[in-house]
Each structure stands twice: as structure tokens, then as C-alpha cells.
Amino acid sequence: MDASLSSQSVPGFFITFEGGEGSGKTTQIERLAGWLREEGRDVVTTREPGGSPGADALRYVILSGAAEAFGEEVEAILFAAARADHVAQLIRPALKAGRIVISDRFHDSTRVYQGLGSDMDTELLDCLERAALSGVYPDLTIVLDLPAADGLRRAAARRGKALPDRFEKEDVAVHESRRRGFLGIAEMESDRCVVVDARQPVNAVADEIARIVEDRLSAHRLERVGHSLGAAVQGAGGA
Ligand code: TMP
């Protein structure tokens, strides 16, 4: 298996957005990508489940509820299969090419949606995660936090007359436990994750995210410079 691709090992930078239904991820990703492009950055935006032709086909199978009858293990395997293809076809090549990749959901969504409140073997989930990511971990994860009831109201307004998908239709208490799940991951992996209060006005959320990303990109640049200098010094020492 490849070594981790995040941080100094590749020139690109990988950002994921996580959070409950209706937390504003799509809007904020558009805002962030727009701002970064104005700054002259090469940005690719994507989403899960999906992001590659193979993964988009699986998205339909999963979100329509067609796979629900096969049980939660099969659903988790389908999410992992979709993610493996997404990483191989889009994310890894883009990072290697030095691009900034922004994904609407990634592995934390599986940890929360498939992992919480299920009887599934955590070893199976860990194993699927390692296989699907194959070393490609996010450099930064923005967790948009919102009370579940507010998020579900926003999602229903956005959906209009369309039916809720396989996961949206679940009870508000389930969504609230997912919210706690994302916050728990953010606390445990505080180097990677930053929680942003999504109850703020859209512009305030966008400004906060831009500041966070700017700081992290500067730190990433410095780490890479340090990494290259270290390699050059080592090379000179060995010559
Ligand atoms: P969205 O495109 O509206 O975010 O819908 C994706 C749905 O799929 C959302 O309800 C969360 C769910 N999901 C999982 O259950 N596990 C996962 O790994 C991912 C990426 C999404």
C-alpha cells in the first residue's frame, strides 16, 4: 500500500467538507472554490458518493435505497467501492498534479453514517477505509455544524416536491446523533478537522472558511519548502 499522500508528500492539497443534511456544504464549497480560483489556484471540486463515472453509478444504487435491503454491510462495501474508484480516477491524479481538491463528503461520512448506531464490525469498516483511501487522507476537513432539525428543514426546502433520499428520511434523533459523531471525530482529529458554526449567515461562514484555508495552505507551503530543503541537504551530504 502507498504511503500517505496528504501533507508534504504531494504538491496538491486535499480539503473535505463534512456535516449533516442541509448544513450548507454545497454552497460553501462553491464559494471557497470561486475564491481560490480568483486567487489563481487550480481547484477541482467533487462529491461523494460519486466523483467518477463508476462511483456516480453506485451513487444512484445507494441513494435510491435499492441496496438497503441487502443490509448495512453491503451498503458500507458499496460506499467503499465508490470511494476507491473516486480516489483512483480523480483525487489521487489531481493531487499529484498539484491541484487543490475539494470534496463534498469523504471517509468521515462513512464513519458517521455507517459506523454509528450499527452492529457492524468496526474492524470491517477500518479495513474498508484503508483499502478505499489507499493512503489518500484529507489535509483539512471542514465540519459544518448545525442542529439536525435546522438542517433537515433546509434540506426539505431545497428538495421541494422530491422525495427524501435513503438517509434524509431517517428520524431527527438519528441525525442529531450523526451531528455528535462528526463533532467527536473533529475533537479526536483536531489537527485535521475544524468545526465551523453553520448557523451563521452564509457570508460569515464563507469568510471563516476562507481564513482557515488560507492559513492551512500557507503552512502546507512552508512544510513543503522545509521538506525539499531537507531532501536537498541530505542529498548534498550523501554526495
Ligand atoms: P448528499 O449528496 O445530499 O450529501 O447525500 C449523500 C447522502 O449519502 C447523505 O445522506 C450522506 C450519505 N452518505 C453515507 O451514508 N455514507 C458515506 O460514506 C457518504 C459519502 C454519504
Side-chain angles (χ1 to χ4, degrees), residues 21 25 47-49 59 62-63 79 83 104-111 113-114 158 165 167-168 178:
E21 313 294 331
K25 293 181 278 77
R47 63 151 188 204
E48 287 210 344
R59 178 184 175 93
I62 299 167
L63 296 188
F79 273 114
R83 182 161 304 130
D104 185 342
R105 298 195 182 280
F106 196 60
H107 69 314
D108 295 315
S109 281
T110 299
R111 291 178 177 183
Y113 280 77
Q114 280 63 57
R158 184 188 56 202
D165 71 27
F167 299 98
E168 282 170 339
R178 289 178 181 150

Side-chain angles (χ1 to χ4, degrees), residues 32-226:
L32 176 63
W35 171 70
L36 287 168
R37 286 183 183 123
E38 277 169 20
E39 297 281 301
R41 308 275 193 163
D42 185 3
V43 180
V44 54
T45 60
T46 184
R47 63 151 188 204
E48 287 210 344
S52 62
D56 278 331
L58 287 172
R59 178 184 175 93
Y60 175 73
V61 173
I62 299 167
L63 296 188
S64 66
E68 193 175 356
F70 295 101
E72 47 195 17
E73 284 195 2
V74 170
E75 276 186 323
I77 290 166
L78 291 175
F79 273 114
R83 182 161 304 130
D85 194 58
H86 186 204
V87 167
Q89 302 297 326
L90 187 141
I91 300 175
R92 185 191 294 277
L95 292 174
K96 281 192 167 168
R99 307 181 77 185
I100 297 175
V101 178
I102 309 176
S103 184
D104 185 342
R105 298 195 182 280
F106 196 60
H107 69 314
D108 295 315
S109 281
T110 299
R111 291 178 177 183
V112 167
Y113 280 77
Q114 280 63 57
L116 287 184
S118 85
D119 300 328
M120 222 183 322
D121 184 359
T122 52
E123 214 161 289
L124 171 66
L125 281 175
D126 289 349
C127 177
L128 288 172
E129 179 177 305
R130 281 196 303 279
L133 270 60
S134 59
V136 179
Y137 285 87
D139 295 288
L140 170 65
T141 296
I142 304 285
V143 175
L144 289 181
D145 180 53
L146 187 69
D150 295 359
L152 289 174
R153 255 195 307 276
R154 285 190 191 175
R158 184 188 56 202
R159 205 169 52 235
K161 292 207 170 94
L163 291 175
D165 71 27
R166 152 81 181 89
F167 299 98
E168 282 170 339
K169 69 180 188 198
E170 285 170 325
D171 198 72
V172 65
V174 175
H175 288 286
E176 196 55 42
S177 73
R178 289 178 181 150
R179 177 191 185 195
R180 288 195 297 276
F182 282 119
L183 292 175
I185 292 173
E187 203 178 329
M188 274 177 24
E189 300 192 25
S190 56
D191 284 352
R192 170 174 67 88
C193 303
V194 182
V195 178
V196 173
D197 184 350
R199 286 170 305 186
Q200 304 176 84
V202 172
N203 285 347
V205 175
D207 288 348
E208 188 174 337
I209 292 171
R211 275 194 301 275
I212 295 164
V213 170
E214 194 167 29
D215 283 355
R216 294 295 179 109
L217 283 174
S218 306
H220 179 70
R221 232 185 349 257
L222 286 177
E223 272 175 23
R224 284 194 51 77
V225 169

